[in-house]
Amino acid sequence: MIQSRSGVWWTDDDPSVRVPGTLSRTADQWQLDLIGTLRVNHQWSDSLSLVPPVTIYGACSGRRFTLRVSYLVRTTGPSFMPNEEDRADNQFSQTWIGSSLLAGDALPEATIYTGATFELTGLSEWWPFSGIAQDTPIGEPLGYGQLEPTVAKCDNGMAVTLAAMGSESASRRVRSLSEYVVVGVERDSGFTLEELMEQAVIPLQSLLAITLDRTVEYFNLRLQPRRETSAEHEAFDDYMSISFDPGVIDEDVERESIGLDPFFTAKDVQAAEFIANWIGVASRAVVPVAVASSRSRIGSLQIGVVEAVNAAESLHREFHPEPPPSNFAEKVDKALKSAGGLDSKERRKVKSAVKITEVSLESRLLELTSELGEEFCLWFYQRQVKEWASVSAAVRNALSHGYRTTHRVEHDRGALNGVLAITLATIRLRLLTEAGLPKDYELQKILTRSRRHLALMRQSVADWRSLRASMGS
């Protein structure tokens, strides 16, 4: 349980006004209850008001805090105060909700950081390199050799380091050695907290979510502000760091190995190159990565299918931004010129529309799979990859555009479950191979170790050949 923090709080709008209040943690956010009111430059109205979030700073027991992305949710106070002395006091109260908390200093959103470290649940399973001697006989002292960290130089200028850290504890009768994996991020030009999240934390979080097939959390995030950013704080030195959401996740629990089973590990790839490539891929293909790594399917099965196939189409467009030359579009353009009735601008519109639609969704899905390797496709899609692509495209188009069909495959729950599962697997594998996971036979060898992918390969919920035949030509 996180202890509440009581102190004084203020904003950039009027730093001289400091209001007493208590910060506590609710189920998934921070709640600040103030005795008094903070002044903010918001224009409130009775109609829909979309207001920007507020950054609130605090000082509690000699330590500074920053409550980020905060919104006012409630203001209460007396309706009438006849006593003049009472009117001189601020008898109002406010309740604010904030998304995250920085402990260690009062830092605006634009603060530049030069370094950060954090941990991820499940990282120890995916990163198997260890300094603990695995062949130490029982009864002998454990040997430990610190491994050299792995450094990935990313195109965004960040250097991402993964290192196994040893921790030893001893008492009179017990001596133990444990190890955990830490991610470090540095960039000479610095980065904001938002940039760190988008360009390092979330991509690595998504990578583990895909390989472990579970929700992955980051924790123990610590930030090193650039010194000149907090120059007014004389006590701040190079050895101090800022804690992000301290206490929200139990570090000791999350560091424990819980027997997770990634379908591949860092040993299956060139680790530094793969990490750098993955961060680049994740920054380009934001929507496909988000769909591929999400574990929550709150909406209906139909919505999940549309979302997955749309993400696959988006991924193909990302990897193939320019459509191939179109002879048919040129023929249409010539025919329109001969027929007359349209000016050059109108003809260009028609030609552009033809070029966009000429590459069908089915063709895009097939090209995505072909890039995994011919031998792999024969194995994983059980020689029915064309039928799968045809059914998936038809189902997505019917659901997304409201087409009425005679075959009604879009209402077949078995077909929908098959489209969703296989499409998600295709997106994930194509993203990973783009970053450096082996293709074709080598990919097949990796997946034969994964019960999850073997079950997908052997699925019987959707017979693609029969479904395609039922749809007619």
Side-chain angles (χ1 to χ4, degrees):
M1 180 179 178
I2 300 175
Q3 295 293 324
S4 60
R5 300 169 173 89
S6 297
V8 293
W9 305 85
W10 67 95
T11 66
D12 286 323
D13 290 327
D14 194 348
S16 63
V17 176
R18 299 198 170 199
V19 179
T22 299
L23 180 71
S24 57
R25 180 72 183 180
T26 62
D28 57 357
Q29 56 195 358
W30 297 93
Q31 178 173 315
L32 177 61
D33 294 298
L34 299 176
I35 304 174
T37 56
L38 289 175
R39 299 175 187 172
V40 290
N41 293 326
H42 285 169
Q43 297 297 321
W44 302 94
S45 70
D46 294 332
S47 60
L48 176 64
S49 293
L50 298 178
V51 297
V54 175
T55 300
I56 301 177
Y57 311 112
C60 307
S61 302
R63 193 179 192 194
R64 286 189 160 190
F65 295 88
T66 304
L67 185 61
R68 303 178 59 250
V69 193
S70 306
Y71 292 93
L72 180 63
V73 295
R74 184 168 57 252
T75 298
T76 59
S79 57
F80 177 66
M81 290 181 288
N83 190 297
E84 186 174 345
E85 292 181 357
D86 292 342
R87 286 196 297 271
D89 299 324
N90 189 341
Q91 296 183 30
F92 286 81
S93 64
Q94 287 182 336
T95 299
W96 293 77
I97 295 298
S99 68
S100 57
L101 181 71
L102 300 179
D105 206 350
L107 299 166
E109 284 296 304
T111 298
I112 299 298
Y113 304 91
T114 56
T117 61
F118 60 93
E119 296 176 58
L120 293 159
T121 58
L123 181 57
S124 293
E125 277 73 18
W126 186 78
W127 190 260
F129 310 111
S130 173
I132 298 176
Q134 302 298 313
D135 56 352
T136 303
I138 296 176
E140 293 188 12
L142 289 173
Y144 188 75
Q146 187 74 43
L147 297 179
E148 284 292 322
T150 298
V151 181
K153 300 288 187 179
C154 305
D155 291 340
N156 59 20
M158 288 183 174
V160 177
T161 302
L162 276 81
M165 309 292 290
S167 176
E168 189 172 0
S169 61
S171 64
R172 184 175 181 180
R173 299 185 184 278
V174 176
R175 187 174 183 180
S176 63
L177 177 65
S178 60
E179 191 179 51
Y180 54 94
V181 183
V182 176
V183 181
V185 180
E186 293 182 333
R187 184 158 67 189
D188 291 340
S189 60
F191 45 81
T192 63
L193 181 54
E194 183 178 2
E195 289 172 336
L196 172 69
M197 290 295 181
E198 292 180 351
Q199 300 175 24
V201 178
I202 294 176
L204 293 177
Q205 191 179 11
S206 300
L207 171 63
L208 291 180
I210 289 171
T211 58
L212 297 169
D213 195 31
R214 71 185 290 266
T215 300
V216 171
E217 303 288 350
Y218 61 88
F219 63 99
N220 197 22
L221 172 58
R222 296 181 180 275
L223 302 158
Q224 178 61 58
R226 193 159 62 190
R227 187 176 178 85
E228 58 267 29
T229 302
S230 297
E232 70 274 17
H233 304 295
E234 306 250 344
F236 198 89
D237 60 43
D238 292 336
Y239 299 97
M240 294 181 67
S241 64
I242 304 300
S243 298
F244 183 93
D245 275 349
V248 170
I249 293 181
D250 189 329
E251 296 176 19
D252 293 333
V253 172
E254 295 299 345
R255 284 176 177 172
E256 292 179 0
S257 176
I258 54 178
L260 300 175
D261 185 25
F263 74 87
F264 83 100
T265 71
K267 283 186 176 180
D268 295 311
V269 293
Q270 298 294 324
E273 181 181 351
F274 178 85
I275 292 167
N277 290 342
W278 173 261
I279 288 176
V281 170
S283 67
R284 291 161 48 202
V286 176
V287 171
V289 169
V291 172
S293 59
S294 175
R295 303 269 71 80
S296 60
R297 301 291 167 197
I298 300 175
S300 68
L301 177 59
Q302 289 83 357
I303 291 175
V305 169
V306 172
E307 182 183 70
V309 180
N310 282 350
E313 183 179 29
S314 173
L315 183 62
H316 180 273
R317 291 182 186 276
E318 177 58 47
F319 290 161
H320 305 277
E322 293 297 327
S326 170
N327 293 328
F328 180 66
E330 295 298 333
K331 289 180 181 179
V332 169
D333 189 42
K334 289 180 181 179
L336 292 175
K337 285 181 181 178
S338 301
L342 296 177
D343 59 29
S344 59
K345 184 177 181 181
E346 290 170 329
R347 289 198 306 271
R348 282 197 301 271
K349 283 185 178 181
V350 174
K351 183 178 178 181
S352 176
V354 170
K355 290 179 69 175
I356 290 173
T357 58
E358 192 171 8
V359 182
S360 67
L361 174 56
E362 180 180 342
S363 299
R364 294 183 187 278
L365 295 177
L366 283 173
E367 189 166 8
L368 274 184
T369 60
S370 68
E371 291 163 347
L372 298 174
E374 182 179 356
E375 190 171 345
F376 174 81
C377 285
L378 291 173
W379 172 76
F380 187 70
Y381 299 93
Q382 294 291 284
R383 301 179 181 271
Q384 298 184 63
V385 66
K386 291 182 179 180
E387 291 82 356
W388 162 77
S390 178
V391 171
S392 298
V395 166
R396 193 294 303 264
N397 289 338
L399 293 174
S400 182
H401 303 302
Y403 296 153
R404 292 188 177 184
T405 66
T406 56
H407 53 72
R408 295 181 61 81
V409 172
E410 69 274 15
H411 298 284
D412 183 328
R413 294 193 67 82
L416 294 179
N417 275 296
V419 169
L420 178 59
I422 300 298
T423 304
L424 286 175
T426 301
I427 296 170
R428 291 163 183 163
L429 294 175
R430 188 62 192 87
L431 286 166
L432 292 169
T433 54
E434 185 72 10
L437 189 67
K439 300 180 180 181
D440 221 353
Y441 179 64
E442 293 301 316
L443 179 59
Q444 180 181 337
K445 285 200 302 183
I446 289 172
L447 295 196
T448 55
R449 308 194 303 253
S450 167
R451 288 176 294 179
R452 186 167 80 246
H453 287 88
L454 286 176
L456 272 180
M457 185 267 290
R458 296 165 180 161
Q459 65 86 24
S460 58
V461 69
D463 184 334
W464 304 119
R465 223 168 254 126
S466 297
L467 290 168
R468 179 65 187 88
S470 71
M471 290 163 49
S473 57

